[in-house]
Amino acid sequence: MRPRCIRSRRRDRINVRSGSSAWLVLRRWSLAQARAEISLWCLQLALNLIWTPLFFGAGWYGLAFLDICLLLAALGGTQLLFRRRSPVAALLLVPYALWVLYAAALNLAIWQLND
């Protein structure tokens, strides 16, 4: 198992890239002009926040899987909308999307093994 500090650095890099992607959109467009993009970005952040207590806290693997699927959809939508405003902003979300996809696969496997 990897040391906690390595996992934290990876998570920090993903979070910095996610925040930077929103900043790239907002530095060129006002919040009013990028309302759909930023709203979807905020939705995926909220879905990400909800997943941890569902999966680890409550052990509701099925509900956590539904949440992470919604997160993937919101993240994909965010990337598509960000791409219209800033292709770099969309690319910055790719590592995050891959990480969430990996977590979704693990979530599904754990749910199936514990059902």
Side-chain angles (χ1 to χ4, degrees), residues 17-18 20-22 24-25 75-97:
R17 287 180 182 141
S18 177
S20 297
S21 69
L24 283 172
V25 170
L75 186 53
T78 301
Q79 286 180 284
L80 289 174
L81 291 178
F82 274 19
R83 187 169 176 247
R84 295 185 314 173
R85 304 285 187 181
S86 168
V88 174
L91 287 173
L92 283 171
L93 292 174
V94 170
Y96 176 39

Side-chain angles (χ1 to χ4, degrees), residues 11-80:
R11 184 175 50 241
D12 289 346
R13 283 192 303 264
I14 286 173
N15 289 338
V16 166
R17 287 180 182 141
S18 177
S20 297
S21 69
W23 176 78
L24 283 172
V25 170
L26 288 173
R27 80 177 183 157
R28 289 183 158 194
W29 306 93
S30 72
L31 186 56
Q33 292 171 316
R35 172 167 270 146
E37 291 86 346
I38 299 304
S39 294
L40 204 50
W41 183 79
C42 289
L43 174 63
Q44 62 85 21
L45 284 179
L47 289 166
N48 188 334
L49 184 66
I50 293 167
W51 182 82
T52 300
L54 287 175
F55 187 84
F56 291 108
W60 296 340
Y61 305 127
L63 195 54
F65 184 68
L66 173 63
D67 176 79
I68 206 165
C69 287
L70 293 172
L71 169 56
L72 280 168
L75 186 53
T78 301
Q79 286 180 284
L80 289 174

